[in-house]
Amino acid sequence: MFGGQFHGRRVLVTGHSGFKGGWMSLWLSRLGASVTGVSLPPEPGPSLYEASGLAAATDSRFADIRDPAALSQTLAGVDAEVLFHMAAQPLVRKSYREPAETFATNVQGTVNVLEAARKMPSLKAVVVITSDKCYDNREWLWGYRENDPLGGKDPYSASKAATELVAQSYAHSFFADPQGPQLATVRAGNVFGGGDWGEDRLVPDVIRAWAKGEAVEIRNPASVRPWQHVLEPVSGYLQVAEKMLTGGAAYAGAWNFGPDVSSTVDVRQLAEMIQRAWGTGAPAFSFPDQVPDAPHEAGILRLDSTKAQSRLGWRPRLSLQEAIDLTADWYKAHASGGNMAQTTAAQIEHFETLISSVEPDRPTVAAQ
């Protein structure tokens, strides 16, 4: 997989105790990388970190990336060849409650991580993970491209746009030597999958309600989002790093990893698909027309991934229904006391077979 570029590599993943960073770390470990993870400790309660036995698969370290001294001390002795910076405050609604913390984590935290990375003599590739919400959202019907303007009306989106600017500045100022380490930023859509228990996200909200036997109130049911299984964008991040390791500066810069047009649906449609996939005992939903005092969230958001498809050969491998089925299977296995390290590894292995197989061309997200 990925040209064998990660086998034996020293890889640093920030945010490894989180949902997306956890899947990344487990996949890298499976690829033969020596993975060091640095993040905050996992939140109390269920987590992918605990369920999948991630501590045994990585050199797991804990520090707050907002604290440069603590981060430097925690990374003492780490000389990574590849860095995936995934640590972040990832929630739009939380950013309204805690804007200063959001900017401190997402913007200054990125500065602190990149400063630590600059001191690593063996560094060859840096991938900074931001978000599709880094774009100046004008409620367009077509997908945003990598050269569209950055912006953000809410603190979270603005912090991700600012993170992009920080990364661009470091790329031009400190990672510009064609023979030196390269830096890319990557932007994905609304990601879901097994092991996510984050607040104010649709799938975790459904799982919590299902566990309690409660109905789920779905906010903003008409909002359109680019939904995708977590392994889709993570595979893209790995491809970008692989290409920077072999092709250098030609693969630095910004990249979108969004789903096919068929997977860009509104919240109501996704909720109903989850309900059907769950089958017997599925949670009930309610769709209020308006949530009182709800903060602003974008109504329409789509990504154009033509660049990744044409230059990397990356493309989505799962239909939206397949992604939902995998997610439901993971949570059902967890609820029944299954071996989640094996379940998670089996889902990664299944996705690897999809990458390796020859499939007919599928519609691209670039369709207008």
Side-chain angles (χ1 to χ4, degrees):
M1 299 300 300
F2 307 107
Q5 283 298 317
F6 298 104
H7 187 80
R9 293 273 190 192
R10 298 184 304 277
V11 181
L12 174 62
V13 179
T14 71
H16 74 298
S17 68
F19 162 59
K20 206 175 189 181
W23 281 94
M24 169 65 84
S25 299
L26 290 166
W27 200 348
L28 282 166
S29 180
R30 177 181 173 83
L31 293 170
S34 175
V35 182
T36 298
V38 61
S39 68
L40 293 174
E43 295 285 337
S47 68
L48 178 65
Y49 181 85
E50 298 293 345
S52 65
L54 190 56
T58 62
D59 174 8
S60 187
R61 308 181 183 203
F62 298 113
D64 190 332
I65 63 171
R66 294 175 297 177
D67 185 337
L71 181 63
S72 179
Q73 183 177 7
T74 301
L75 291 177
V78 175
D79 181 20
E81 297 169 88
V82 183
L83 164 63
F84 292 97
H85 174 41
M86 308 182 82
Q89 193 297 92
L91 303 171
V92 173
R93 290 166 70 89
K94 184 177 181 180
S95 77
Y96 281 102
R97 299 193 304 270
E98 300 174 0
E101 177 185 332
T102 298
F103 282 104
T105 301
N106 294 351
V107 184
Q108 186 59 47
T110 298
V111 171
N112 296 339
V113 168
L114 293 177
E115 282 295 295
R118 290 177 59 206
K119 300 173 184 176
M120 297 180 184
S122 300
L123 188 68
K124 294 177 174 61
V126 178
V127 181
V128 177
I129 286 78
T130 65
S131 170
D132 58 348
K133 296 173 183 64
C134 70
Y135 293 106
D136 181 14
N137 194 323
R138 303 177 185 181
E139 305 287 341
W140 286 335
L141 295 176
W142 51 87
Y144 292 91
R145 296 171 294 182
E146 289 85 351
N147 58 355
D148 281 324
L150 302 172
K153 296 180 176 64
D154 58 87
Y156 170 76
S157 300
S159 77
K160 286 301 187 179
T163 299
E164 287 279 348
L165 294 175
V166 165
Q168 289 177 20
S169 172
Y170 270 73
H172 288 292
S173 301
F174 308 113
F175 297 99
D177 182 354
Q179 305 306 314
Q182 301 301 312
L183 186 149
T185 63
V186 291
R187 307 154 182 179
N190 281 46
V191 173
F192 61 87
D196 185 8
W197 278 277
E199 64 176 287
D200 287 332
R201 289 206 285 256
L202 178 59
V203 172
D205 286 348
V206 169
I207 298 305
R208 280 188 287 267
W210 171 78
K212 296 176 183 178
E214 299 175 351
V216 186
E217 185 176 271
I218 304 297
R219 69 177 191 273
N220 303 322
S223 293
V224 175
R225 296 288 185 270
W227 306 100
Q228 56 193 152
H229 190 274
V230 61
L231 291 176
E232 300 275 30
V234 167
S235 71
Y237 307 164
L238 290 168
Q239 279 190 262
V240 168
E242 172 205 346
K243 292 297 187 181
M244 286 196 292
L245 289 169
T246 57
Y251 295 94
W255 298 87
N256 284 345
F257 295 98
D260 289 341
V261 171
S262 60
S263 295
T264 305
V265 302
D266 65 38
V267 173
R268 179 189 292 271
Q269 288 174 273
L270 185 74
E272 291 172 346
M273 292 177 74
I274 294 171
Q275 197 172 45
R276 289 194 298 272
W278 201 268
T280 304
F285 297 111
S286 64
F287 300 95
D289 292 333
Q290 193 169 20
V291 179
D293 302 320
H296 173 270
E297 294 187 59
I300 298 175
L301 185 56
R302 292 187 171 99
L303 283 178
D304 183 327
S305 301
T306 302
K307 178 182 174 182
Q309 291 175 359
S310 61
R311 295 196 57 204
L312 301 177
W314 177 90
R315 68 178 187 274
R317 303 290 173 160
L318 298 167
S319 70
L320 183 55
Q321 190 60 62
E322 290 168 337
I324 291 169
D325 290 344
L326 274 179
T327 303
D329 289 346
W330 196 100
Y331 284 110
K332 287 180 179 179
H334 183 270
S336 64
N339 184 321
M340 299 318 298
Q342 291 182 4
T343 298
T344 306
Q347 293 199 350
I348 294 174
E349 181 178 8
H350 169 68
F351 196 82
E352 286 178 340
T353 65
L354 298 180
I355 294 176
S356 301
S357 65
V358 177
E359 295 181 349
D361 290 339
R362 299 175 64 174
T364 73
V365 76
Q368 302 288 314

